[in-house]
Short mmCIF file of all heavy atoms in Angstrom, two decimals:
data_model
loop_
_atom_site.label_atom_id
_atom_site.label_comp_id
_atom_site.label_asym_id
_atom_site.label_seq_id
_atom_site.Cartn_x
_atom_site.Cartn_y
_atom_site.Cartn_z
N PHE G 702 -0.61 24.28 18.11
CA PHE G 702 -1.83 24.79 18.53
C PHE G 702 -2.98 24.01 17.82
O PHE G 702 -3.95 23.57 18.38
CB PHE G 702 -1.93 26.30 18.29
CG PHE G 702 -3.30 26.87 18.59
CD1 PHE G 702 -3.53 27.42 19.97
CD2 PHE G 702 -4.33 26.98 17.68
CE1 PHE G 702 -4.78 27.94 20.18
CE2 PHE G 702 -5.51 27.57 17.94
CZ PHE G 702 -5.75 28.04 19.26
N CYS G 703 -2.84 24.01 16.46
CA CYS G 703 -3.80 23.30 15.67
C CYS G 703 -4.00 21.94 16.04
O CYS G 703 -5.14 21.33 16.21
CB CYS G 703 -3.60 23.41 14.20
SG CYS G 703 -3.58 25.08 13.53
N GLN G 704 -2.88 21.12 16.15
CA GLN G 704 -2.92 19.82 16.43
C GLN G 704 -3.59 19.57 17.75
O GLN G 704 -4.27 18.57 18.01
CB GLN G 704 -1.59 19.10 16.33
CG GLN G 704 -1.18 19.13 14.76
CD GLN G 704 0.18 18.53 14.46
OE1 GLN G 704 1.05 18.45 15.37
NE2 GLN G 704 0.48 18.09 13.25
N HIS G 705 -3.25 20.43 18.76
CA HIS G 705 -3.92 20.41 20.08
C HIS G 705 -5.43 20.52 19.99
O HIS G 705 -6.22 19.85 20.71
CB HIS G 705 -3.25 21.41 21.01
CG HIS G 705 -3.83 21.39 22.29
ND1 HIS G 705 -3.59 20.38 23.25
CD2 HIS G 705 -4.65 22.24 23.05
CE1 HIS G 705 -4.24 20.57 24.37
NE2 HIS G 705 -4.85 21.69 24.24
N GLN G 706 -5.81 21.39 19.09
CA GLN G 706 -7.28 21.62 18.88
C GLN G 706 -7.95 20.63 17.95
O GLN G 706 -9.02 20.74 17.56
CB GLN G 706 -7.48 23.01 18.21
CG GLN G 706 -7.10 24.14 19.09
CD GLN G 706 -8.23 24.44 20.18
OE1 GLN G 706 -9.41 24.02 20.00
NE2 GLN G 706 -7.89 25.26 21.21
N GLU G 707 -7.10 19.65 17.53
CA GLU G 707 -7.54 18.61 16.57
C GLU G 707 -7.99 19.23 15.20
O GLU G 707 -8.94 18.78 14.57
CB GLU G 707 -8.72 17.80 17.13
CG GLU G 707 -8.12 16.95 18.38
CD GLU G 707 -9.13 16.05 19.04
OE1 GLU G 707 -10.41 16.26 18.72
OE2 GLU G 707 -8.76 15.20 19.73
N ILE G 708 -7.33 20.27 14.87
CA ILE G 708 -7.48 20.88 13.56
C ILE G 708 -6.36 20.28 12.63
O ILE G 708 -5.14 20.43 12.94
CB ILE G 708 -7.41 22.41 13.64
CG1 ILE G 708 -8.44 22.98 14.49
CG2 ILE G 708 -7.28 23.07 12.26
CD1 ILE G 708 -8.30 24.45 14.76
N LEU G 709 -6.68 19.66 11.54
CA LEU G 709 -5.70 19.07 10.58
C LEU G 709 -4.87 20.10 9.95
O LEU G 709 -5.46 21.05 9.43
CB LEU G 709 -6.36 18.22 9.68
CG LEU G 709 -5.40 17.58 8.59
CD1 LEU G 709 -4.65 16.38 9.22
CD2 LEU G 709 -6.15 17.19 7.31
N VAL G 710 -3.59 20.06 10.05
CA VAL G 710 -2.76 20.97 9.38
C VAL G 710 -2.39 20.44 8.02
O VAL G 710 -1.87 19.35 7.81
CB VAL G 710 -1.41 21.35 10.25
CG1 VAL G 710 -0.55 22.30 9.46
CG2 VAL G 710 -1.78 21.86 11.54
N GLU G 711 -2.65 21.33 6.92
CA GLU G 711 -2.18 20.99 5.63
C GLU G 711 -1.12 21.94 5.27
O GLU G 711 -1.10 23.14 5.63
CB GLU G 711 -3.37 21.14 4.72
CG GLU G 711 -4.62 20.33 4.85
CD GLU G 711 -5.60 20.55 3.78
OE1 GLU G 711 -6.17 21.51 3.69
OE2 GLU G 711 -5.75 19.62 3.06
N GLY G 712 -0.07 21.36 4.57
CA GLY G 712 1.03 22.24 4.17
C GLY G 712 1.10 22.46 2.76
O GLY G 712 1.29 21.58 1.93
N TYR G 713 0.96 23.82 2.39
CA TYR G 713 1.21 24.00 1.02
C TYR G 713 2.68 24.57 0.82
O TYR G 713 3.36 24.83 1.74
CB TYR G 713 0.25 25.15 0.45
CG TYR G 713 0.31 26.60 0.97
CD1 TYR G 713 1.13 27.51 0.47
CD2 TYR G 713 -0.46 27.00 1.99
CE1 TYR G 713 1.23 28.78 0.88
CE2 TYR G 713 -0.41 28.34 2.51
CZ TYR G 713 0.49 29.21 1.84
OH TYR G 713 0.50 30.48 2.36
N SER G 714 3.13 24.49 -0.47
CA SER G 714 4.49 24.71 -0.73
C SER G 714 5.48 23.84 0.01
O SER G 714 6.42 24.31 0.61
CB SER G 714 4.88 26.23 -0.55
OG SER G 714 3.98 27.08 -1.23
N PRO G 715 5.33 22.62 0.06
CA PRO G 715 6.12 21.69 0.79
C PRO G 715 7.54 21.71 0.30
O PRO G 715 8.53 21.24 0.97
CB PRO G 715 5.56 20.26 0.64
CG PRO G 715 4.70 20.38 -0.59
CD PRO G 715 4.17 21.80 -0.66
N LEU G 716 7.84 22.21 -0.99
CA LEU G 716 9.20 22.21 -1.58
C LEU G 716 9.59 23.72 -1.40
O LEU G 716 10.65 24.05 -2.15
CB LEU G 716 9.17 21.67 -3.01
CG LEU G 716 8.39 20.46 -3.25
CD1 LEU G 716 8.45 20.08 -4.73
CD2 LEU G 716 8.92 19.29 -2.34
N ALA G 717 8.95 24.52 -0.71
CA ALA G 717 9.29 26.01 -0.62
C ALA G 717 9.22 26.61 -2.01
O ALA G 717 10.13 27.36 -2.43
CB ALA G 717 10.59 26.24 0.07
N THR G 718 8.15 26.21 -2.80
CA THR G 718 8.03 26.62 -4.23
C THR G 718 9.25 26.34 -4.94
O THR G 718 9.54 27.04 -5.92
CB THR G 718 7.41 28.00 -4.35
OG1 THR G 718 8.28 28.94 -3.88
CG2 THR G 718 6.09 28.23 -3.73
N GLY G 719 10.02 25.36 -4.68
CA GLY G 719 11.19 24.88 -5.45
C GLY G 719 12.48 25.45 -4.84
O GLY G 719 13.59 24.93 -5.13
N ALA G 720 12.42 26.27 -3.79
CA ALA G 720 13.66 26.90 -3.22
C ALA G 720 14.49 25.93 -2.47
O ALA G 720 15.77 26.12 -2.35
CB ALA G 720 13.25 28.00 -2.28
N LEU G 721 14.07 24.69 -2.05
CA LEU G 721 14.84 23.79 -1.33
C LEU G 721 15.47 22.76 -2.19
O LEU G 721 16.32 22.05 -1.76
CB LEU G 721 13.96 22.97 -0.37
CG LEU G 721 13.32 23.81 0.88
CD1 LEU G 721 12.31 22.92 1.58
CD2 LEU G 721 14.48 24.23 1.76
N LEU G 722 15.07 22.77 -3.53
CA LEU G 722 15.55 21.70 -4.36
C LEU G 722 16.96 21.51 -4.71
O LEU G 722 17.46 20.54 -4.97
CB LEU G 722 14.73 21.67 -5.67
CG LEU G 722 13.10 21.49 -5.52
CD1 LEU G 722 12.31 21.80 -6.69
CD2 LEU G 722 12.90 19.96 -5.05
N ASN G 723 17.64 22.70 -4.68
CA ASN G 723 19.12 22.69 -4.83
C ASN G 723 19.94 22.69 -3.65
O ASN G 723 21.16 23.07 -3.74
CB ASN G 723 19.39 23.82 -5.83
CG ASN G 723 18.72 23.72 -7.17
OD1 ASN G 723 18.67 22.64 -7.70
ND2 ASN G 723 18.18 24.86 -7.64
N ASP G 724 19.40 22.36 -2.46
CA ASP G 724 20.11 22.47 -1.28
C ASP G 724 21.07 21.27 -1.15
O ASP G 724 20.66 20.10 -1.16
CB ASP G 724 19.09 22.61 -0.09
CG ASP G 724 19.80 22.66 1.25
OD1 ASP G 724 20.43 21.74 1.69
OD2 ASP G 724 19.58 23.77 1.79
N ALA G 725 22.32 21.47 -1.04
CA ALA G 725 23.32 20.46 -1.05
C ALA G 725 23.18 19.49 0.20
O ALA G 725 23.35 18.27 0.05
CB ALA G 725 24.75 21.06 -1.06
N SER G 726 22.85 20.09 1.37
CA SER G 726 22.81 19.20 2.53
C SER G 726 21.45 18.35 2.52
O SER G 726 21.55 17.17 2.96
CB SER G 726 22.97 19.95 3.87
OG SER G 726 21.79 20.72 4.06
N LEU G 727 20.50 18.88 2.01
CA LEU G 727 19.23 18.08 1.76
C LEU G 727 19.51 17.04 0.76
O LEU G 727 19.02 15.83 0.87
CB LEU G 727 18.10 18.93 1.39
CG LEU G 727 17.51 19.89 2.38
CD1 LEU G 727 16.37 20.64 1.84
CD2 LEU G 727 17.17 19.23 3.63
N ALA G 728 20.31 17.35 -0.28
CA ALA G 728 20.60 16.36 -1.38
C ALA G 728 21.40 15.27 -0.71
O ALA G 728 21.12 14.04 -1.06
CB ALA G 728 21.36 16.96 -2.48
N ALA G 729 22.39 15.52 0.16
CA ALA G 729 23.16 14.49 0.80
C ALA G 729 22.32 13.59 1.67
O ALA G 729 22.36 12.34 1.64
CB ALA G 729 24.25 15.11 1.63
N MET G 730 21.39 14.17 2.41
CA MET G 730 20.51 13.34 3.29
C MET G 730 19.61 12.51 2.37
O MET G 730 19.38 11.30 2.62
CB MET G 730 19.74 14.26 4.09
CG MET G 730 18.93 13.45 5.16
SD MET G 730 17.71 14.46 6.18
CE MET G 730 18.81 15.32 7.30
N ALA G 731 18.98 13.10 1.34
CA ALA G 731 18.04 12.40 0.40
C ALA G 731 18.75 11.20 -0.18
O ALA G 731 18.15 10.10 -0.24
CB ALA G 731 17.63 13.30 -0.72
N ARG G 732 20.07 11.31 -0.56
CA ARG G 732 20.77 10.17 -1.09
C ARG G 732 20.79 9.02 -0.23
O ARG G 732 20.67 7.87 -0.70
CB ARG G 732 22.30 10.64 -1.53
CG ARG G 732 22.33 11.13 -2.97
CD ARG G 732 23.82 11.18 -3.42
NE ARG G 732 24.65 12.07 -2.66
CZ ARG G 732 24.64 13.42 -2.77
NH1 ARG G 732 23.90 13.95 -3.75
NH2 ARG G 732 25.38 14.13 -2.10
N ARG G 733 20.96 9.24 1.02
CA ARG G 733 21.01 8.09 2.02
C ARG G 733 19.62 7.29 2.02
O ARG G 733 19.55 6.16 2.46
CB ARG G 733 21.26 8.64 3.37
CG ARG G 733 22.69 9.07 3.57
CD ARG G 733 23.08 9.19 5.07
NE ARG G 733 22.73 10.49 5.64
CZ ARG G 733 21.77 10.70 6.45
NH1 ARG G 733 20.96 9.63 6.88
NH2 ARG G 733 21.44 11.82 7.00
N TYR G 734 18.59 7.89 1.54
CA TYR G 734 17.27 7.27 1.46
C TYR G 734 17.02 6.83 -0.01
O TYR G 734 15.85 6.42 -0.31
CB TYR G 734 16.25 8.10 2.00
CG TYR G 734 16.32 8.32 3.55
CD1 TYR G 734 17.02 9.44 3.91
CD2 TYR G 734 15.77 7.46 4.42
CE1 TYR G 734 17.14 9.70 5.32
CE2 TYR G 734 15.89 7.70 5.76
CZ TYR G 734 16.55 8.81 6.32
OH TYR G 734 16.75 9.02 7.59
N GLN G 735 18.08 7.10 -0.86
CA GLN G 735 17.78 6.80 -2.33
C GLN G 735 16.54 7.56 -2.72
O GLN G 735 15.69 7.03 -3.47
CB GLN G 735 17.74 5.34 -2.61
CG GLN G 735 18.97 4.70 -2.32
CD GLN G 735 18.85 3.11 -2.43
OE1 GLN G 735 17.88 2.52 -2.28
NE2 GLN G 735 20.04 2.51 -2.64
N ALA G 736 16.48 8.70 -2.31
CA ALA G 736 15.24 9.63 -2.63
C ALA G 736 15.76 10.83 -3.23
O ALA G 736 16.91 11.26 -3.09
CB ALA G 736 14.50 9.86 -1.34
N SER G 737 14.83 11.61 -3.84
CA SER G 737 15.29 12.95 -4.37
C SER G 737 14.95 14.01 -3.20
O SER G 737 14.31 13.61 -2.18
CB SER G 737 14.26 13.37 -5.51
OG SER G 737 12.97 13.46 -5.06
N VAL G 738 15.40 15.22 -3.41
CA VAL G 738 15.20 16.25 -2.41
C VAL G 738 13.68 16.45 -2.20
O VAL G 738 13.10 16.64 -1.21
CB VAL G 738 15.92 17.57 -2.71
CG1 VAL G 738 15.54 18.66 -1.80
CG2 VAL G 738 17.43 17.32 -2.64
N ALA G 739 12.95 16.50 -3.34
CA ALA G 739 11.58 16.73 -3.32
C ALA G 739 10.84 15.59 -2.47
O ALA G 739 9.99 15.91 -1.70
CB ALA G 739 11.03 16.68 -4.68
N GLN G 740 11.26 14.36 -2.59
CA GLN G 740 10.63 13.33 -1.85
C GLN G 740 10.98 13.41 -0.39
O GLN G 740 10.14 13.20 0.50
CB GLN G 740 11.17 11.89 -2.37
CG GLN G 740 10.52 11.55 -3.80
CD GLN G 740 11.23 10.36 -4.44
OE1 GLN G 740 12.43 10.28 -4.36
NE2 GLN G 740 10.47 9.49 -4.99
N LEU G 741 12.16 13.84 -0.06
CA LEU G 741 12.64 13.99 1.37
C LEU G 741 11.68 15.10 1.90
O LEU G 741 11.23 14.96 3.05
CB LEU G 741 14.08 14.48 1.37
CG LEU G 741 14.60 14.83 2.74
CD1 LEU G 741 15.21 13.55 3.36
CD2 LEU G 741 15.69 15.85 2.72
#
Side-chain angles (χ1 to χ4, degrees):
F702 177 89
C703 290
Q704 292 178 339
H705 180 72
Q706 290 283 341
E707 297 181 342
I708 296 170
L709 177 74
V710 179
E711 299 186 292
Y713 69 85
S714 301
L716 317 177
T718 61
L721 292 172
L722 294 168
N723 296 317
D724 184 288
S726 71
L727 291 182
M730 187 186 288
R732 267 196 298 278
R733 287 198 275 108
Y734 293 93
Q735 296 172 338
S737 68
V738 172
Q740 289 169 316
L741 178 91

